Amino acid sequence: MLTTTAHPEQEATASGGLSPGVRRITLDAAGIPLSALLSEPADGRPPRATVVALHGGGMSAGYFDGQAHPDVSLLTLGARLGCTVLALDRPGYGASAPYLPTGQRLQHQAETVRAALADAQARLASGPLFLLAHSFGGKLALALAADAPPGSFLGLDVSGCGHRPAVSAELLGHRTRTSLRRYNWGPLRLYPDGTFSEVGAVVAPMPEQEIESAQEWDTLAPRLLPRVRVPVRFTFAEHEAWWRQSEADLTDLAAQFSAAPRVLVERLTGAGHNISLGCAARTYHLRALAFLEECLDAGAPSAAR
């Protein structure tokens, strides 16, 4: 059972540790290096699919390999269940930060990530691609899917992202830990002991262009969501504070996906915004991977309208 802590102000230590079977790689995104974490099935069999994990703003690929408890890591769980998991440091983070010191706006990030995924598919035994994304990474996943040729992705699983903000995105310009803690974490009892002593290896500065792009989501979402043609699943944490999530809001969100063959919108109790670092991480990851299996069973790439 995961135990929790309520001491976020303790000094973070950037241990940089990785779970067993997880390794660091660098992909070529049309001349821009994108760093990533990679885990693959240990038995050597071809992966059932590749989960492309996209972190949120102010985080890094390590968000999907939390070190506070063994049950938190998506990378190890996915590999045990026969999938390759590729968690990218999005453009402006990790190895690409010196090349993109102010980051990239959303649509440019999509172009860069497409190039990185082409390199990954050329170099790795990947199987069909499934996008699993959090917060700003969810916006990126939706942008990738909106303009993708049929068959590019099995589906999308998004957490920490909606279409109707509950607060102004201008808050992202307030970079003190205390000003955003309630929105980014929710109740601190929802996270395993050690989360906030390990978080230094996960957090990263949010690039300037990304902050500006986040403030454009109100106009971007209505253009992107109706163009998504693969199954989509959204998860809203019980203590999600960035996004409106009344029944009317979530019904309207699902209605935006007029071209998607299937849309699920679910809630997760006992979770804050950073779901994949919390005590509910394993529950969320298992549900997301179950959705991947449903997409495989349905032959989703050929089901696009």
Side-chain angles (χ1 to χ4, degrees), residues 17-19 27 36 130 142 152 167 181 210 223 230 237 249 256 292 296-297 300 303-305:
L18 299 176
S19 296
L27 300 171
F130 178 85
L142 292 162
S152 298
V167 293
R181 185 188 307 142
E210 184 164 299
R223 302 200 323 247
V230 295
D249 293 321
Q256 301 299 310
L292 183 161
L296 282 170
D297 291 343
R305 296 179 188 173

Side-chain angles (χ1 to χ4, degrees), residues 16-23 38-39 64-67 69-70 72-76:
L18 299 176
S19 296
V22 177
R23 60 189 174 96
L38 177 70
S39 62
F64 296 104
D65 189 37
Q67 297 297 294
H69 191 282
V72 170
S73 174
L74 169 70
L75 281 117
T76 57

